[in-house]
Amino acid sequence: MVKRGTRKHRIRPVLFAIFLVILIGHLGETTAEYDPYKILGVSRSASQAEIKKAYKNLAKEWHPDKNKDPAAEDMFIKISKSYEILSNEERRSNFDRYGQMDENQHTGHSQHHSYHGFHNSFFFDESFFHFQRSRDFADSKYLFHHAQFTSEVLPDSFKRPYLIKVTSEWCFACVHIEPVWKEVVQELEPLGVGIGIVDLGYERRLASHLGAHRAPSIIGLVKGRVTFFHQAVVREHLRQFVEDLLPTKLVEKITDDNYVSFLAGWQSENKPSVIIFDQPPVAPLLYKLTAFSFRDFVRFGYVDQAGKHSTRLLKQFNVNTYAPTMMLFKEDTEKPVDIIQARGMKRQILDEFVSNNKFLQVPRLVNQQLFDELCPVKQFHRRRKYCVLLITGDNQDFSAGNKAFLDFASANKKEVLRFAYVYQHHQQPLCQALLHNQAVLSPQVVILERRSQAGKALYRSVSGGWNGSEEDKYRLHEQLELLQKDPTYLSSDATLPELNNEMAPIFIIQWMNAAYDYILQVYDDLLYSNWREMMPILSLIFSALFILFGTVIIQAFSEPGESKPQKPKPKEQTPQSDDMASSRASTTSRPPRKDFVEVTELTDVTYTSNLVKLRPGHINIVLVLTNASKTALLRKFAKEVFSFSGTQTLHFSFLNADKHRHWMPSLLRLTSDTMQGSGHSDEDESTLDYSGHVLALNGYKKYFCLFKPVFTGDDPDSSFEASAESRRKSRSRSSSSSSSHSRSRSHSREDGAVPTRSKRAMSIEVHHKLDRLGLWMERLMEGTLPRLWVPVWPSLNESTINSSTES
């Protein structure tokens, strides 16, 4: 017995050793067989661009949706895993050194390699223990890509909610929620809930767009708004999460007390009414999802058959309480136009039932969406659709005619005819296009057919108007018969404008709803510490607070005198100081800091680029000045044109008449309608004072507009009448001296001599030369100024040569 026990103890280690050898050999073969470089067909020195290109080509070739080979699914998984290893530098380095595929392994301790490799194979290597490390390929039909999400899923989220799972191939926690997820998908997808899966490893752009930065995550999407699921992943919680995503009051609870007002709301809401009768005390999720899809066309109400407040309603419509029932009402609130009753209500049955009855008998056109649905544009592969439109009013005087039009439409139900009406004062542009700006004294009927999305339509007005009489009905019926026999009966055409949205909420309501949604989102992010999404908002808030408090602190510690502008002390400028100021102005060519305008001097260098070769549509505003008036005129010029300096097509320059005195006379001589018959010689023109003149030069089209200064201080009579103080001083003078003085001034003016002025009078005159330049600039921008055309622009060089020769 002892020997046998000893033999058994000897056999057990040998068997265990044999098992370990077989296991290690299998692991070595598995590691040797799985080479991501061989799978992708790239060398070990391949770059990331080459790896990415090889992955794309192989993924297209072996994708199971395109490749029907039975081994395509396994090959596609191997290609994906190989790219995930080689696209990450750390994983690639681990594989190159130790043959590892897990990025969490320690690369510096090779003695632990065999243990970690065995651990990984035990849990993840599907080739040995057949554990599916990758996602279930049955979910591939739910995978979302960024382009598909933007073009299809986001618009579709306004018709149905979406439940999206964010997962990853290397996420072990995703495996735990997989059974619950599959159960929820099987339950909610038949109800009309959209299902989606986002792979965090392959669609990082889409995951970042959704705000999902970890896996697993579950997201709800309704009307383009993203909401995260934060509860335990249980079927009941996920079902309630989807139900909470839907807007409130989608399905109104109907009782004996309010069903009359509910059915009568068709006129104000312009929608048919659906009443659902069922046993649960509240509306099931199936009815809420259907109501969400058709909320723009149909109103939904729910009746609890087991409730105490619905007995009269059930008795009036003779409802069978043994099965769910749906009744659809239109203009007639006493009798439903359609009824459906079935024990197992399916979403497909509900959609078909509502889609066939989502318009009233005669709906009112309240927005462009309803117009497009009711009167679609003619297409070649479909039958023609004619829209019979009644243009009427909403007063009581029109009610009889509107009721007669409804009766006519109910009696003439044809697939090619759609009846509708509009209120003229609500849809003025449409009525003006069809009636040629005629006021509706009596209702008018227009038969139209839309021919293009741009608004082109063919139409014909029914003569005689519409009063609802039997004669009007017969006339309309006769014209509809002619229309069906001869499509060319519609002889007029027009371009219809887009309809006003009468049901749109006012701006303040839209703003409040948007603010409410934003506050809820911020609260949700703060509650669940979604700091990655909150960082931009917090950064904006702290930046605003920093700027606010920084401004307050700077103002608090600044000296009181700094904020008040100090008035410069008046100084009597000497000729030397004037020359220094003019030289500084010529070097900088800039006005003072207040009302800053960049002004360039026209010289031999800048003349060609700023005038002769000026781009089409650009205008150069040129101020003519002299050395003596340069500083004063530049300051005044900057203040007058500052409000126009933001225009990109305007440039500002100045011309020194002392340097180029012959340029202005040469320019004026070239004009066809200026300076003709003036009697001045070239010498007279060269001695004229052009300082203060402003020209708007269009170098491309060769014309200019001229501003002549207003000499407010030139006429002694005007200055005499303008100042009361000077009038009192003139009375103290003798009449003889004043008369002789006036005769001498008139004689000097007749001789052409320039009257001498004091320095104060000269400064006042220069200061007021550009007083009305702002008004002239406004007329220039309006295009109302007269234009003077020139055949060619005079040259500055020739002017300089002529001036030097004459001097």
Side-chain angles (χ1 to χ4, degrees):
M1 295 294 293
V2 176
K3 291 181 180 180
R4 291 179 180 178
T6 306
R7 186 178 297 175
K8 290 181 179 178
H9 284 293
R10 290 177 180 176
I11 292 174
R12 288 176 180 175
V14 173
L15 294 176
F16 184 72
I18 294 173
F19 174 75
L20 285 179
V21 170
I22 295 173
L23 180 62
I24 294 172
H26 180 78
L27 292 177
E29 292 176 359
T30 303
T31 306
E33 290 177 0
Y34 185 78
D35 188 352
Y37 292 101
K38 292 183 179 180
I39 293 175
L40 294 181
V42 296
S43 63
R44 290 185 174 271
S45 60
S47 62
Q48 288 294 331
E50 296 173 350
I51 294 173
K52 187 176 182 180
K53 182 179 180 181
Y55 164 72
K56 287 185 177 181
N57 295 334
L58 292 174
K60 291 179 181 179
E61 179 182 357
W62 290 98
H63 197 284
D65 293 343
K66 299 180 180 180
N67 196 328
K68 302 304 179 182
D69 191 341
E73 179 179 340
D74 296 334
M75 187 62 185
F76 184 77
I77 293 174
K78 290 181 180 180
I79 292 170
S80 302
K81 289 191 299 182
S82 301
Y83 178 70
E84 188 169 353
I85 293 171
L86 298 183
S87 61
N88 187 284
E89 294 295 340
E90 185 176 356
R91 293 176 185 171
R92 183 179 180 181
S93 177
N94 291 343
F95 183 83
D96 292 341
R97 292 181 181 180
Y98 314 109
Q100 307 243 21
M101 293 174 289
D102 190 0
E103 63 180 350
N104 297 324
Q105 306 247 349
H106 298 284
T107 60
H109 304 281
S110 60
Q111 62 268 21
H112 298 293
H113 167 63
S114 61
Y115 172 74
H116 285 294
F118 175 78
H119 184 272
N120 291 338
S121 299
F122 182 82
F123 283 101
F124 294 105
D125 196 350
E126 58 189 78
S127 64
F128 183 68
F129 286 98
H130 304 287
F131 185 83
Q132 187 72 16
R133 178 173 65 180
S134 177
R135 58 176 176 269
D136 188 359
F137 203 81
D139 293 341
S140 61
K141 65 177 182 179
Y142 301 119
L143 286 176
F144 283 165
H145 304 285
H146 190 271
Q148 173 201 5
F149 179 84
T150 305
S151 61
E152 299 177 9
V153 178
L154 270 182
D156 195 43
S157 67
F158 288 84
K159 296 181 180 179
R160 61 171 176 166
Y162 274 83
L163 192 65
I164 303 173
K165 180 182 69 172
V166 180
T167 183
S168 176
E169 290 187 355
W170 302 94
C171 172
F172 187 75
C174 301
V175 180
H176 292 281
I177 69 171
E178 192 65 25
V180 181
W181 172 259
K182 290 183 177 180
E183 186 179 358
V184 171
V185 169
Q186 293 176 0
E187 178 185 0
L188 297 182
E189 189 177 16
L191 301 181
V193 179
I195 305 298
I197 296 177
V198 177
D199 195 312
L200 194 60
Y202 299 99
E203 286 294 336
R204 290 192 176 275
R205 181 183 176 190
L206 178 56
S208 177
H209 178 75
L210 294 174
H213 304 283
R214 61 184 178 88
S217 297
I218 296 179
I219 299 173
L221 179 69
V222 172
K223 296 193 295 185
R225 178 186 173 188
V226 174
T227 305
F228 280 84
F229 176 77
H230 299 290
Q231 298 179 350
V233 183
V234 184
R235 185 174 65 88
E236 291 77 11
H237 291 171
L238 286 173
R239 181 186 177 93
Q240 187 62 40
F241 172 68
V242 173
E243 192 168 351
D244 293 339
L245 292 175
L246 300 175
T248 58
K249 297 182 180 180
L250 275 174
V251 181
E252 185 177 348
K253 188 174 182 179
I254 305 300
T255 61
D256 294 338
D257 300 330
N258 65 345
Y259 81 93
V260 176
S261 60
F262 175 77
L263 294 177
W266 68 267
Q267 192 166 6
S268 58
E269 296 288 337
N270 196 42
K271 300 175 183 178
S273 302
V274 171
I275 298 182
I276 307 170
F277 300 84
D278 207 345
Q279 294 292 337
V282 295
L285 180 60
L286 174 62
Y287 300 145
K288 292 183 178 180
L289 292 172
T290 307
F292 179 75
S293 299
F294 296 95
R295 68 189 184 279
D296 294 333
F297 301 98
V298 182
R299 303 163 61 240
F300 285 82
Y302 181 76
V303 178
D304 179 15
Q305 294 180 355
K308 300 179 181 179
H309 303 285
S310 59
T311 55
R312 180 160 53 92
L313 183 59
L314 296 174
K315 183 178 179 181
Q316 178 176 351
F317 295 107
N318 194 19
V319 178
N320 184 2
T321 59
Y322 294 100
T325 306
M326 290 184 66
M327 294 185 178
L328 192 139
F329 297 83
K330 293 188 178 180
E331 286 87 349
D332 187 4
T333 59
E334 300 293 332
K335 182 180 179 181
V337 296
D338 202 355
I339 300 175
I340 185 175
Q341 191 174 36
R343 287 189 177 275
M345 283 288 187
K346 303 295 183 180
R347 178 61 189 270
Q348 184 178 1
I349 299 175
L350 297 180
D351 289 348
E352 185 177 357
F353 175 76
V354 179
S355 297
N356 296 333
N357 300 280
K358 63 180 184 179
F359 299 116
L360 296 171
Q361 295 286 349
V362 184
R364 180 162 61 96
L365 299 183
V366 294
N367 51 42
Q368 188 65 32
Q369 180 186 5
L370 182 59
F371 191 30
D372 295 337
E373 290 276 350
L374 191 66
C375 303
V377 177
K378 177 187 177 297
Q379 299 180 1
F380 294 103
H381 62 281
R382 294 182 181 179
R383 297 186 61 184
R384 296 175 180 269
K385 298 288 185 182
Y386 299 106
C387 191
V388 184
L389 187 62
L390 173 66
I391 302 176
T392 182
D394 56 351
N395 300 332
Q396 291 295 332
D397 301 337
F398 299 94
S399 58
N402 298 345
K403 180 64 170 57
F405 188 76
L406 174 61
D407 296 339
F408 180 85
S410 303
N412 292 269
K413 295 180 180 179
K414 295 182 180 180
E415 187 179 357
V416 297
L417 297 178
R418 298 291 178 86
F419 293 87
Y421 70 99
V422 293
Y423 290 147
Q424 186 186 19
H425 65 281
H426 289 166
Q427 302 293 341
Q428 282 284 354
L430 176 66
C431 298
Q432 290 176 0
L434 295 175
L435 300 179
H436 305 286
N437 299 326
Q438 296 178 4
V440 176
L441 302 178
S442 62
Q444 301 289 331
V445 177
V446 178
I447 307 172
L448 61 91
E449 178 188 12
R450 300 181 65 191
R451 303 305 296 266
S452 69
Q453 294 289 349
K456 184 178 180 181
L458 300 178
Y459 72 96
R460 187 186 184 96
S461 300
V462 180
S463 60
W466 178 266
N467 296 320
S469 62
E470 294 298 328
E471 182 181 356
D472 294 340
K473 294 180 181 179
Y474 177 78
R475 188 188 308 110
L476 178 58
H477 180 76
E478 184 181 17
Q479 296 199 17
L480 291 177
E481 291 293 334
L482 293 175
L483 176 63
Q484 296 184 27
K485 295 178 182 179
D486 183 14
T488 61
Y489 181 71
L490 303 179
S491 56
S492 303
D493 62 344
T495 301
L496 304 181
E498 186 173 353
L499 270 66
N500 301 324
N501 190 0
E502 301 177 21
M503 297 298 178
I506 59 177
F507 172 76
I508 187 64
I509 301 298
Q510 295 180 356
W511 184 85
M512 291 176 64
N513 292 335
Y516 176 74
D517 293 340
Y518 184 75
I519 291 173
L520 284 181
Q521 183 178 0
V522 172
Y523 174 77
D524 183 75
D525 293 339
L526 288 175
L527 183 63
Y528 296 101
S529 301
N530 191 2
W531 298 109
R532 189 188 296 266
E533 292 295 316
M534 289 298 297
M535 283 305 297
I537 302 175
L538 295 177
S539 176
L540 179 63
I541 294 175
F542 282 113
S543 300
L545 293 176
F546 178 78
I547 294 174
L548 178 62
F549 286 103
T551 305
V552 173
I553 292 173
I554 291 175
Q555 291 181 353
F557 285 95
S558 62
E559 296 182 3
E562 293 181 359
S563 59
K564 297 181 181 180
Q566 297 180 357
K567 295 183 179 180
K569 295 180 180 180
K571 289 184 178 181
E572 201 173 295
Q573 297 182 351
T574 60
Q576 183 180 1
S577 62
D578 289 338
D579 294 337
M580 293 175 61
S582 63
S583 63
R584 287 195 302 267
S586 62
T587 56
T588 60
S589 300
R590 292 181 179 178
R593 292 183 179 179
K594 183 180 179 182
D595 298 344
F596 175 81
V597 179
E598 184 176 0
V599 185
T600 307
E601 182 178 3
L602 282 184
T603 61
D604 299 336
V605 179
T606 62
Y607 181 78
T608 302
S609 59
N610 287 3
L611 176 60
V612 179
K613 295 185 178 180
L614 198 64
R615 287 180 293 175
H618 288 243
I619 296 178
N620 197 344
I621 311 299
V622 180
L623 169 67
V624 182
L625 47 79
T626 58
N627 291 331
S629 62
K630 185 173 186 178
T631 303
L633 286 181
L634 278 178
R635 292 177 181 271
K636 184 67 174 179
F637 182 74
K639 293 180 180 179
E640 292 293 327
V641 302
F642 176 75
S643 59
F644 305 92
S645 59
T647 307
Q648 299 294 331
T649 58
L650 291 183
H651 308 273
F652 301 94
S653 306
F654 70 90
L655 178 73
N656 195 330
D658 292 339
K659 299 179 182 179
H660 313 285
R661 66 177 64 182
H662 285 272
W663 186 83
M664 275 293 293
S666 300
L667 177 66
L668 296 179
R669 281 197 304 269
L670 290 174
T671 58
S672 59
D673 53 354
T674 309
M675 301 296 294
Q676 294 182 359
S678 59
H680 292 287
S681 63
D682 295 342
E683 295 181 357
D684 295 334
E685 291 177 350
S686 62
T687 56
L688 290 177
D689 183 17
Y690 293 103
S691 63
H693 285 62
V694 179
L695 301 95
L697 306 174
N698 190 320
Y700 181 76
K701 293 188 176 181
K702 296 181 181 179
Y703 73 83
F704 67 95
C705 302
L706 180 63
F707 168 82
K708 295 182 179 180
V710 180
F711 295 92
T712 56
D714 191 278
D715 191 0
D717 297 333
S718 60
S719 60
F720 176 81
E721 295 175 358
S723 176
E725 184 178 357
S726 60
R727 186 184 298 112
R728 287 192 301 268
K729 290 181 179 181
S730 62
R731 291 176 180 175
S732 60
R733 300 174 184 174
S734 61
S735 58
S736 59
S737 62
S738 62
S739 59
S740 62
H741 178 67
S742 62
R743 284 194 303 270
S744 63
R745 286 181 60 88
S746 61
H747 180 69
S748 63
R749 288 188 180 184
E750 291 176 359
D751 294 340
V754 179
T756 58
R757 303 178 182 89
S758 65
K759 185 175 294 186
R760 178 176 178 83
M762 181 66 181
S763 62
I764 294 176
E765 178 186 346
V766 171
H767 180 73
H768 288 284
K769 277 189 175 183
L770 303 178
D771 278 348
R772 297 184 182 179
L773 181 60
L775 300 176
W776 183 82
M777 288 292 296
E778 292 181 1
R779 293 186 58 192
L780 174 66
M781 300 302 294
E782 294 172 358
T784 59
L785 290 176
R787 299 177 179 180
L788 305 176
W789 303 87
V790 294
V792 65
W793 296 109
S795 175
L796 286 181
N797 295 330
E798 296 176 1
S799 301
T800 307
I801 295 173
N802 294 337
S803 62
S804 61
T805 303
E806 292 176 2
S807 60

